[in-house]
């Protein structure tokens, strides 16, 4: 078999890294999408080349001529984009419905948030078939197809049914839940069978892999599982052999580090710090999502100010929230809840010259993002559940002065790699989070430096190129 590196790579994900927007002159143009999958996959395609298939955020009914716009974006790139049109109805049922009101809460272990609607599942299968047809239109012999994330679990199965013999792998960016949670979904058997259309199924952590293997053992009587705690496990069914592995996703460390060191970022960092003289900056950066634990974090900050009143005027929480899925009611309600808590805290504690929380509800540019990372004395990465969490890794890569502390939830995938050098917290335990914030605020310079150096070494060694190489090696093993 040809080396995976020599074969053309076809990446398939729900979203493309470019997104259609209307300009002030009412013209359509392409902007940049943000999110963990995009941050991770751009360097992979930059290095390996290939085709990226996904949705550009437009609706089929808008009849936008995307090809020309995409061609312009591809200039100077060694990879191509191919867009998949989605109708308004598909968006409602497949994207908002099945992907984000069923699979997302289920996989993040909150089955009570799931709306198990049969129509959603039907639309999910229909749109996955559509993606598979677009892949077929692009496919040449020996292409390696790499499908990403929960929205497209079924695409591999559709490709197999069309007779595709190419190697197809799947990577799940979000957690895989324990058996008792997964089993709530009425279509559990079909979903598991769809996941077994792939030659390799990749997870972020050992826990996700273990959960998946337990579900397979529970649901499929005929599956033989050759399980190894470390390394690649094998599942043998009547349909064939499937590998299952753990691949903690990462970032392009060198790119983040170099950009964070640039004059542009340094100047902006100084500006930010100047805005808060004599204050230690605590930073939260998240997509708007209930999995990120933002209300819990804000309540812990409030408790910190109550428990240690001397800290008032000496600390500042900067909470950046990137708009996401606002047209889903749970997300719209969450935004209101967060804004109410921010308002309460600022209302209760503000004094002349000091407001406890600076709250931004808009995306930052990469330069601003890095400047905030560099300016802050600690990052609060406290999700209730998270596949990996790249903000934690970016914060470390950007910490040029090695004077920051990472407070990290034990329920973020990243905690598996960072358990010795980040301060791990249970985000549900408010008092423990408060005590950990206090510990971080009082940490000695030497200890901060030692911990941050270790964290940086880890992100540098296990960067996005290590991740892709390890994954591709496992495919061909
Ligand atoms: C999913 C999984 C997994 C955020 N705000 C801004 C901005 N971002 C970028 C960050 C980071 C990305 O978005 C967020 O990535 P996360 O990993 O933290 O979270 P998800 O979006 O939920 O990603 C996650 C990931 O996939 C990869 O597998 O780690 O567990 O849920 O890169 O920098 N970027 C810019 N401005 C912002 O305001 N430019």
């Amino acid at each position: 078999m040809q080396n995976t590196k020599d074969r053309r790579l076809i990446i398939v994900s729900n979203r493309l890294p470019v997104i259609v927007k209307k300009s002030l002159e009412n013209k359509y143009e392409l902007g940049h999408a943000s999110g963990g999958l995009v941050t991770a996959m751009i360097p992979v395609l930059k290095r390996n080349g290939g085709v990226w298939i996904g949705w550009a955020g437009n609706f089929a009914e808008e009849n936008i001529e995307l090809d020309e716009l995409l061609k312009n974006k591809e200039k100077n790139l060694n990879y191509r984009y191919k867009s998949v049109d989605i109708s308004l109805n598909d968006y409602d049922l497949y994207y908002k419905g099945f992907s984000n009101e069923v699979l997302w809460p289920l996989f993040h272990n909150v089955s009570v948030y799931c709306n198990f609607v049969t129509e959603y599942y039907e639309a999910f299968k229909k749109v996955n078939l559509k993606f598979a047809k677009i892949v077929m239109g692009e496919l040449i012999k020996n292409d390696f197809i790499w499908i990403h994330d929960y929205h497209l679990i079924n695409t591999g199965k559709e490709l197999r049914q069309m007779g595709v013999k190419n190697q197809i792998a799947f990577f799940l960016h979000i957690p895989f839940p324990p058996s008792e949670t997964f089993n709530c979904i009425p279509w559990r058997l079909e979903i598991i069978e769809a996941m077994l259309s792939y030659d390799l199924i990749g997870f972020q952590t050992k826990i996700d892999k273990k959960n998946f293997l337990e579900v397979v053992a529970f649901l499929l009587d005929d599956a033989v599982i050759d399980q190894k705690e470390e390394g690649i496990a094998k599942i043998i069914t009547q349909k064939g052999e499937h590998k299952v592995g753990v691949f903690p996703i990462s970032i392009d460390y060198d790119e983040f580090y170099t950009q964070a060191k640039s004059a542009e970022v340094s100047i902006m960092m100084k500006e930010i710090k100047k805005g808060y003289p004599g204050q230690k900056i605590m930073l939260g950066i998240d997509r708007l999502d209930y999995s990120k634990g933002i209300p819990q974090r804000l309540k812990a900050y409030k408790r910190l100010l109550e428990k240690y009143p001397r800290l008032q005027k000496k600390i500042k929480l900067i909470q950046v929230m990137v708009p996401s899925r606002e047209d889903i009611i749970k997300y719209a309600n969450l935004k209101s809840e967060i804004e109410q808590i921010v308002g309460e805290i600022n209302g209760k504690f503000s004094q002349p010259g000091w407001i406890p929380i600076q709250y931004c509800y808009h995306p930052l540019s990469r330069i601003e993002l890095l400047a905030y990372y560099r300016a802050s004395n600690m990052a609060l990465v406290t999700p209730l559940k998270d596949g990996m969490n790249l903000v934690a890794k970016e914060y470390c890569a950007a910490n040029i002065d090695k004077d920051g502390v990472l407070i990290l939830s034990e329920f973020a995938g990243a905690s598996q790699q960072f358990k010795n050098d980040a301060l791990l917290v249970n985000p549900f335990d408010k008092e423990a989070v408060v005590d950990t914030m206090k510990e971080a605020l009082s940490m000695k310079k030497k200890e901060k430096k030692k911990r941050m150096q270790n964290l940086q070494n880890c992100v540098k060694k296990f960067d996005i190129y290590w991740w892709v190489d390890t994954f591709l090696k496992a495919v061909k093993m």
Side-chain angles (χ1 to χ4, degrees):
M1 179 158 296
Q2 220 179 335
N3 193 318
T4 28
K5 266 193 185 163
D6 306 328
R7 288 188 275 154
R8 195 174 67 142
L9 184 58
I10 299 200
I11 300 271
V12 193
S13 63
N14 174 62
R15 285 286 189 145
L16 282 175
V18 287
I19 186 165
V20 178
K21 287 189 178 142
K22 233 183 198 168
S23 70
L24 291 175
E25 298 83 41
N26 246 357
K27 278 191 182 154
Y28 287 109
E29 55 187 27
L30 291 174
H32 293 281
S34 62
L37 191 147
V38 167
T39 308
M41 295 316 294
I42 284 178
V44 172
L45 272 168
K46 265 191 191 164
R47 192 191 68 173
N48 289 46
V51 185
W52 191 332
I53 297 175
W55 175 48
N58 58 307
F59 293 111
E61 290 82 350
E62 291 171 312
N63 282 323
I64 306 171
E65 248 322 311
L66 265 187
D67 286 353
E68 211 44 43
L69 289 174
L70 290 172
K71 274 214 173 74
N72 278 335
K73 273 275 168 198
E74 286 160 12
K75 276 183 198 155
N76 309 321
L77 296 179
N78 64 336
Y79 54 93
R80 284 194 303 112
Y81 297 124
K82 178 77 196 165
S83 75
V84 181
D85 280 350
I86 289 185
S87 69
L88 274 160
N89 194 45
D90 288 341
Y91 174 78
D92 277 342
L93 303 177
Y94 145 80
Y95 181 72
K96 273 170 60 182
F98 201 73
S99 300
N100 290 324
E101 289 181 28
V102 178
L103 293 179
W104 179 272
L106 185 81
F107 282 30
H108 284 84
N109 214 5
V110 268
S111 48
V112 287
Y113 280 15
C114 296
N115 290 328
F116 296 121
V117 177
T118 305
E119 246 188 315
Y120 289 175
Y121 183 51
E122 293 307 320
F124 170 77
K125 288 192 287 187
K126 191 183 105 189
V127 174
N128 271 251
L129 175 60
K130 191 170 197 175
F131 271 82
K133 286 181 179 163
I134 302 278
V135 174
M136 279 300 271
E138 287 290 318
L139 201 63
I140 50 175
K141 202 176 158 212
N142 288 331
D143 277 348
F144 167 59
I145 308 167
W146 192 356
I147 295 178
H148 288 262
D149 231 2
Y150 59 104
H151 320 81
L152 299 180
I153 286 174
N154 255 38
T155 302
K157 177 181 149 196
E158 298 295 354
L159 286 165
R160 291 288 180 231
Q161 280 175 359
M162 291 172 188
V164 171
K165 296 279 183 287
N166 299 47
Q167 275 196 315
I168 316 178
F170 178 79
F171 184 76
L172 185 69
H173 289 254
I174 64 174
F176 192 88
S179 186
E180 66 271 24
T181 303
F182 183 81
N183 285 331
C184 298
I185 187 167
W187 311 281
R188 59 195 190 181
L189 188 58
E190 290 171 52
I191 302 272
I192 285 299
E193 283 176 346
M195 287 182 83
L196 294 178
S197 314
Y198 298 101
D199 297 296
L200 172 65
I201 306 136
F203 294 99
Q204 300 271 27
T205 69
K206 278 188 202 172
I207 302 167
D208 304 318
K209 174 184 159 198
K210 178 175 154 285
N211 288 345
F212 176 71
L213 293 177
E214 279 173 10
V215 168
V216 171
F218 177 80
L219 293 178
L220 299 178
D221 290 338
D222 71 326
V224 177
I225 300 175
D226 176 6
Q227 187 173 357
K228 296 187 188 92
E229 197 178 325
E230 300 293 332
I232 303 289
K234 276 190 191 144
I235 301 175
I236 299 146
T237 63
Q238 283 165 354
K239 286 193 201 143
E241 199 176 290
H242 316 273
K243 287 180 259 186
V244 183
V246 174
F247 308 93
I249 203 162
S250 195
I251 56 165
D252 184 339
Y253 176 88
D254 289 333
E255 188 190 293
F256 269 91
Y257 183 86
T258 311
Q259 211 177 4
K261 230 176 148 176
S262 69
E264 215 180 344
V265 171
S266 305
I267 292 166
M268 196 177 281
M269 171 196 70
K270 283 184 193 140
E271 278 300 307
I272 294 171
K273 282 190 165 179
K274 226 166 60 188
Y276 311 113
Q279 294 167 39
K280 288 200 170 161
I281 298 176
M282 304 159 76
L283 178 71
I285 293 197
D286 313 81
R287 262 189 324 99
L288 170 67
D289 203 294
Y290 48 81
S291 65
K292 303 289 180 186
I294 305 166
Q296 291 79 355
R297 179 188 309 156
L298 293 170
K299 286 176 190 167
Y301 180 68
K302 178 172 181 239
R303 178 81 188 113
L304 179 77
L305 296 173
E306 284 162 355
K307 196 167 171 183
Y308 302 101
R310 282 191 180 173
L311 288 177
Q312 293 176 27
K313 293 184 101 166
K314 297 207 176 78
I315 56 176
K316 165 79 83 184
L317 172 62
I318 300 179
Q319 177 62 54
V320 178
M321 220 161 61
V322 185
S324 173
R325 308 176 196 167
E326 289 158 281
D327 47 0
I328 297 175
I329 188 79
K330 279 255 158 12
Y331 288 74
N333 291 343
L334 176 70
K335 177 173 180 271
S336 306
E337 184 192 350
I338 290 168
E339 290 179 350
Q340 194 184 338
I341 304 172
V342 169
E344 274 170 20
I345 297 174
N346 280 345
K348 182 166 178 190
F349 296 97
S350 284
Q351 300 173 37
W354 182 67
I355 298 170
I357 304 176
Q358 177 192 305
Y359 166 69
C360 314
Y361 186 63
H362 54 79
L364 307 173
S365 69
R366 176 63 81 85
I367 300 293
E368 288 169 319
L369 180 80
L370 292 170
Y372 275 112
Y373 284 151
R374 275 195 68 183
S376 53
N377 299 82
M378 77 178 77
L380 302 172
V381 182
T382 55
L384 308 181
K385 191 72 195 155
D386 215 330
M388 178 55 55
N389 196 297
L390 293 182
V391 168
K393 294 193 171 179
E394 293 166 9
Y395 179 71
C396 299
N399 207 246
I400 305 299
D401 305 309
K402 298 182 185 53
D403 56 358
V405 181
L406 174 63
I407 294 189
L408 179 62
S409 161
E410 60 185 273
F411 305 119
S415 69
Q416 311 273 309
Q417 292 173 295
F418 288 173
K419 52 175 169 270
N420 295 330
D421 296 293
L423 298 182
L424 291 199
V425 289
N426 169 1
F428 297 96
D429 183 349
K430 187 164 74 180
E431 289 304 318
V433 175
V434 170
D435 292 344
T436 310
M437 287 171 171
K438 183 73 174 53
E439 184 188 342
L441 287 167
S442 344
M443 194 182 278
K444 298 267 180 304
K445 256 187 178 171
K446 203 170 153 196
E447 185 173 354
K448 284 194 225 176
K449 195 170 175 182
K450 188 186 88 198
R451 285 175 181 265
M452 189 47 74
Q453 184 64 65
N454 291 341
L455 291 167
Q456 289 185 343
N457 291 347
C458 176
V459 187
K460 189 172 167 61
K461 183 168 175 197
F462 302 108
D463 69 357
I464 191 67
Y465 302 107
W466 167 86
W467 177 78
V468 68
D469 289 341
T470 315
F471 192 91
L472 296 181
K473 211 167 113 198
V475 175
K476 91 182 149 67
M477 262 177 9

